Amino acid sequence: MLVVSFGLYYWSYQNKILPHIRVGGVSVGSQSAAAARELIEAQAKLVREGKVTVKVGDKPFEETTVNLGIDYDLDQTLAAADRLVLG
């Protein structure tokens, strides 16, 4: 029975990222690598468009996250998630 259960688990997640995996707050578990890329790219777009207010002394500065060096390395992120794929 244990072998059958493991076989069914392996089959159901073949070529998919293992369940309960999150990247930047986005659940990519049980997704294919291509679907995970789309989800992560959508989140990365929000981060890139986001602005941060930095206060130096009494003077606030508003800057984009990209200009501050805050960004996703999509290739590295997806490579790490892809290692969590069965198949």
Side-chain angles (χ1 to χ4, degrees):
M1 186 65 170
L2 182 63
V3 173
V4 171
S5 295
F6 179 74
L8 287 173
Y9 181 84
Y10 183 84
W11 176 78
S12 66
Y13 289 106
Q14 191 170 12
N15 299 319
K16 294 181 182 175
I17 297 171
L18 293 176
H20 310 294
I21 303 299
R22 299 179 71 80
V23 174
V26 176
S27 177
V28 295
S30 305
Q31 300 289 325
S32 68
R37 175 177 276 282
E38 288 181 23
L39 292 169
I40 295 169
E41 283 178 342
Q43 180 67 24
K45 182 180 178 186
L46 293 174
V47 169
R48 288 180 185 123
E49 293 173 350
K51 295 197 177 202
V52 175
T53 301
V54 179
K55 193 171 184 182
V56 179
D58 290 332
K59 188 168 183 173
F61 297 92
E62 190 172 88
E63 195 60 67
T64 65
T65 56
V66 173
N67 285 343
L68 293 173
I70 302 169
D71 198 8
Y72 281 94
D73 183 336
L74 291 176
D75 293 330
Q76 183 178 358
T77 301
L78 289 166
D82 203 35
R83 286 190 291 269
L84 303 172
V85 172
L86 292 177

